[in-house]
């Protein structure tokens, strides 16, 4: 398995870049730059490309609704160029809270839009005269919808690669099926190895049955929190507020993807209570309801023996990249954690 890490998107670029360079030397394989409602991810990715040499770079994630498909393709091609072919385009729908609440764009048809965006990106990277007639994107605009002057264009530059790897962040069965069909990688959240087949196995199989063999094996990215040591188990409590935020606060009742996932994992009553408390404003109370077992099994927090056992479980479930979140107070400690994880792998 490869080792990945998501940088802190709330920080500045220079300190993060220096740390990533150290992590690269420690054996980090890929670094993800999230994009929520902070600085854009592209600026940070370009900065990182200039100060690293080997580590792969990924957007984690660029949101479907915030850029046109062609701008997404142009951006990915540019990042692949400045990184000498080290970029992976992470795409995802995000959620209505960010898309509608911050960007003011309707959150609609994420599955169909994902397919069209990927089709357009690959056409741009192949430097074809761009022509796409879809449900949500029509390029170029027909005369009756524009000036009548639009004609198909192709990318001026020659991309480093005509197929830049794409990973799709997805949870729901239709989204997961689509990722397994058309993307190089799939990124779930709160990945529980022992439940993965039960929750996603059917969707993955359906997608892979339609998959182009040229795409190769589907890369599966899991994102456990990481802490290795003899007395680190109490750190699991630090993870609960984050889980409570997603399960309880990322969506209204009946419209929360993460609540639905926790329910599929077998924690339906706890998920309901977490959501009830969180939406009532009791965030601390919601965190106390997060099951210890869930925290234990979706993360890598424990003794070296425990972590090694869990690594085997992730590997057995098909995970190919661990996009870890190190629990460490300093950059030097995070570097040590990555080195220790590399040893256990």
């Amino acid at each position: 398995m490869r080792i990945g890490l998501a940088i802190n998107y709330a920080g500045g670029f220079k300190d993060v870049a220096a740390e990533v360079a150290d992590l690269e030397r420690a054996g980090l394989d890929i670094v993800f730059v999230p994009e929520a409602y902070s600085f854009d991810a592209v600026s940070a990715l370009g900065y990182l490309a200039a100060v690293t040499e080997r580590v792969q770079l990924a957007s984690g994630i660029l949101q479907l609704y915030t850029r046109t498909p062609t701008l997404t393709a142009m951006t990915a091609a540019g990042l692949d160029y400045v990184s000498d072919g080290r970029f992976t385009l992470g795409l995802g729908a995000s959620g209505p809270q960010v898309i509608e609440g911050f960007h003011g764009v309707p959150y609609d048809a994420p599955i169909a839009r994902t397919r069209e965006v990927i089709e357009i990106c690959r056409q741009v990277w192949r430097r074809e005269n761009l022509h796409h007639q879809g449900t949500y994107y029509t390029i170029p605009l027909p005369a009756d919808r524009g000036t009548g002057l639009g004609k198909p264009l192709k990318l001026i530059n020659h991309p480093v690669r005509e197929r830049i790897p794409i990973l799709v962040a997805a949870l729901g069965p239709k989204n997961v099926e689509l990722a397994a069909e058309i993307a190089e990688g799939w990124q779930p959240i709160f990945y529980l190895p022992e439940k993965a087949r039960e929750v996603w196995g059917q969707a993955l199989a359906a997608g892979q049955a339609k998959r182009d063999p040229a795409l190769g094996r589907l890369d599966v990215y899991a994102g456990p929190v990481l802490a290795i040591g003899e007395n680190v188990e109490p750190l699991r409590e630090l993870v609960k507020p984050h889980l409570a935020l997603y399960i309880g606060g990322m969506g209204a009742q009946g419209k929360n993807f993460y609540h639905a996932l926790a329910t599929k994992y077998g924690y339906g009553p706890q998920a309901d209570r977490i959501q009830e408390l969180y939406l009532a404003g009791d965030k601390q109370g919601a965190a106390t309801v997060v099951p210890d077992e869930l925290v234990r099994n979706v993360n890598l927090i424990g003794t070296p023996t425990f972590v090694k056992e869990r690594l085997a479980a992730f590997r057995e479930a098909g995970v190919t990249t661990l996009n870890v979140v190190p629990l460490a107070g300093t950059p030097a400690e995070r570097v040590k954690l990555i080195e220790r994880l590399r040893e256990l792998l």
Side-chain angles (χ1 to χ4, degrees):
M1 287 189 288
R2 296 189 302 170
I3 300 175
L5 179 146
I7 69 167
N8 180 4
Y9 54 73
F13 297 162
K14 292 183 179 180
D15 291 342
V16 167
E19 181 175 348
V20 169
D22 289 337
L23 290 165
E24 179 180 42
R25 289 188 287 272
L28 189 71
D29 296 300
I30 184 168
V31 60
F32 290 78
V33 180
E35 186 173 78
Y37 39 99
S38 55
F39 289 150
D40 72 291
V42 178
S43 297
L45 284 161
Y47 197 103
L48 288 173
V51 298
T52 57
E53 297 178 356
R54 179 193 59 80
V55 70
Q56 300 288 305
L57 305 173
S59 54
I61 57 170
L62 295 188
Q63 301 146 356
L64 291 177
Y65 303 89
T66 57
R67 296 170 176 84
T68 66
T70 43
L71 178 57
T72 297
M74 293 160 62
T75 299
L79 288 170
D80 206 45
Y81 176 79
V82 298
S83 65
D84 296 322
R86 291 185 283 137
F87 180 65
T88 294
L89 175 60
L91 290 172
S94 186
Q97 292 84 358
V98 174
I99 300 306
E100 296 183 356
F102 190 69
H103 293 282
V105 177
Y107 184 90
D108 66 343
I111 299 171
R113 286 185 183 276
T114 300
R115 183 182 290 277
E116 289 193 43
V117 168
I118 292 175
E119 289 174 354
I120 293 167
C121 282
R122 288 177 173 155
Q123 196 174 352
V124 169
W125 298 334
R126 292 193 297 267
R127 298 190 72 247
E128 298 172 1
N129 287 324
L130 186 55
H131 184 83
H132 178 87
Q133 299 293 318
T135 302
Y136 297 97
Y137 304 102
T138 301
I139 306 170
L141 280 178
D144 61 348
R145 290 174 55 191
T147 64
L149 299 177
K151 63 178 183 179
L153 299 173
K154 66 180 178 180
L155 188 69
I156 293 173
N157 311 79
H158 289 260
V160 175
R161 294 179 290 179
E162 71 171 26
R163 171 158 279 173
I164 296 169
I166 295 173
L167 73 88
V168 173
L171 284 181
K174 292 297 183 181
N175 265 342
V176 172
E177 180 178 336
L178 180 69
E181 177 190 350
I182 67 173
E184 281 84 358
W186 165 52
Q187 184 179 20
I189 193 171
F190 307 138
Y191 190 89
L192 204 169
E194 288 81 3
K195 292 285 186 177
R197 185 180 299 276
E198 178 182 336
V199 174
W200 292 302
Q202 186 174 352
L204 288 169
Q208 288 173 328
K210 298 176 284 185
R211 185 177 181 82
D212 182 348
L215 289 172
R217 182 180 67 165
L218 180 69
D219 285 328
V220 179
Y221 296 75
V225 176
L226 176 68
I228 306 171
E230 295 301 329
N231 299 293
V232 299
E233 287 81 0
L235 294 177
R236 293 173 186 168
E237 294 297 316
L238 300 179
V239 179
K240 289 186 176 182
H242 183 67
L243 280 162
L245 165 64
Y246 278 77
I247 296 170
M250 287 293 190
Q253 289 184 349
K255 296 183 179 180
N256 183 317
F257 311 127
Y258 314 101
H259 177 282
L261 177 61
T263 300
K264 290 178 182 178
Y265 280 165
Y267 300 106
Q270 296 95 324
D272 289 343
R273 182 59 176 158
I274 292 167
Q275 187 175 63
E276 178 186 357
L277 291 168
Y278 204 98
L279 294 180
D282 187 1
K283 298 178 181 180
Q284 184 175 351
T288 64
V289 182
V290 174
D292 293 337
E293 183 181 54
L294 177 62
V295 175
R296 175 188 184 275
N297 289 336
V298 301
N299 296 303
L300 296 171
I301 304 174
T303 65
T305 299
F306 169 81
V307 170
K308 193 166 187 176
E309 290 172 354
R310 296 308 296 159
L311 288 173
F314 278 98
R315 186 181 292 108
E316 178 65 23
V319 171
T320 56
T321 300
L322 291 166
N323 185 23
V324 299
V325 181
L327 285 180
T330 67
E333 290 172 342
R334 285 189 283 274
V335 167
K336 288 182 180 178
L337 267 179
I338 295 301
E339 290 173 340
R340 189 72 182 98
L341 180 61
R342 173 62 66 194
E343 292 171 358
L344 293 174
L345 283 172

